[in-house]
Amino acid sequence: PWLRLHARALGALPAQPSSSALDLLQLPEFDQARRLVGDHKLEEAIPLVARTLQVCGAMNAPGMSVLAHEASAYLHGAMGELDSELEIRRKQASVAGAGASSPETTLSANGLVLCHLTRLEGGQAAEAARAFLDGRKDVDPLTRACFELHRRAAAALFIGAAEAPGMSVGPSGPSALVSGVAPAEEGKVIGACEAVLDCMAKIDSTGTGEVLAPLAGLLEGAGKAGGEDPCAAQRLAALRIAARHKLAAGNTAAAEEHASAALRLAKSRSPGRPTLDSLACLLEVAHVAVAKQDALTAEGLYRSCIDQIAALPGAQAPAAVDALSLALLDFGDLLDKMSTNGRPRSKEAEAVRVQAAALQTTLRLEALRAMRDSGPFGSLRVSLIHSYCDWFRWRWWS
């Protein structure tokens, strides 16, 4: 829905071109940067976008500048430079508040919320979403629904955050957000996102209990979902949540069924090539193998996932780096329990943990460890945070 909203507002669709977007596309520096991004040469595109920002500033064109800041923030975030992205997002918000039109202001606020979520800063994300909604009374229903979802995501996807001031999940039931959202497809996706967040908000530290009720509609239609299904991404999340839930309850057969269904759905969305989604689902299968005490199968799955995540295009992006770090930590735990010819594999386990530490700053790795160790849904929460951000990130480069 976010892509559709901003495509209309900012000119990605030919029917309603935005003068700011069209003017930006005419700049040779930006045009060259777009070509480099298309070739996955993000690092080479960064200085060209920086030059574009200078040109926009000299032209005194705040609308163009907001969009150029969006491009710059995306590039730094995709390179894993989260501090730089946050700094750019704050500058973008300042420019947007200085005179850019409402769609650009909305785009800037959305980017700031998602940046905080990616940084695992739930409180700051909720505050940024609240500040946007409180400051505007004439927000259209789709935009309001998206920012209300952002507030709920900050509460539902972080352990213990729901009790924090200003971070309550709010009333459940899709009617609270979907009412007034048009066309119907956007309403369906908003409702699917809400169902995932409603479920995660109900999950306690044990992961047991009847918490899957909000996902009933998504799970029932999972077998029919495909590339044309607007809610396919949310169905994938629902299947992963269900797999973890059944695993926590000790029902490995049901967990394996859900994990395998998630893997099939992820592969159907990108046939012929591995994606971070499909590899995340393969890791769910590995968790089931661990629970079944099939250590050799689990080891093979972990090694395969680790190698393939590291080889993905965009492997330096936060979602991929976090997924790789968590896979390495889990693999290290598995190796600690294994032996070869009676010899413990603790040295191998420690080497794997050193690999994980080399990928992250110490603080980031500690935050990931804390979430992973919070319960059976800990590492899944990290993955869902990145998935959520991807659902609502505006595809300026597409």
Side-chain angles (χ1 to χ4, degrees), residues 70 73-74 76-77 81-90 92 107-122 124-125 128 150 158 318 364 385-386 388-389 392-393:
E70 182 68 25
Y74 164 82
H76 284 279
E81 300 169 1
L82 297 182
D83 289 343
S84 296
E85 182 191 1
L86 181 59
E87 181 181 353
I88 294 165
R89 292 289 179 193
R90 287 171 173 164
Q92 181 190 34
L107 176 66
S108 172
N110 178 69
L112 183 61
V113 173
L114 299 186
C115 180
H116 281 304
L117 287 175
T118 301
R119 291 167 61 87
L120 306 182
E121 297 171 344
Q124 291 92 323
H150 290 346
F158 290 87
R364 179 80 176 190
I385 288 166
H386 288 299
Y388 180 88
C389 291
F392 288 94
R393 185 171 287 114

Side-chain angles (χ1 to χ4, degrees), residues 18 40 274 391:
S18 158
H40 302 291
W391 298 344

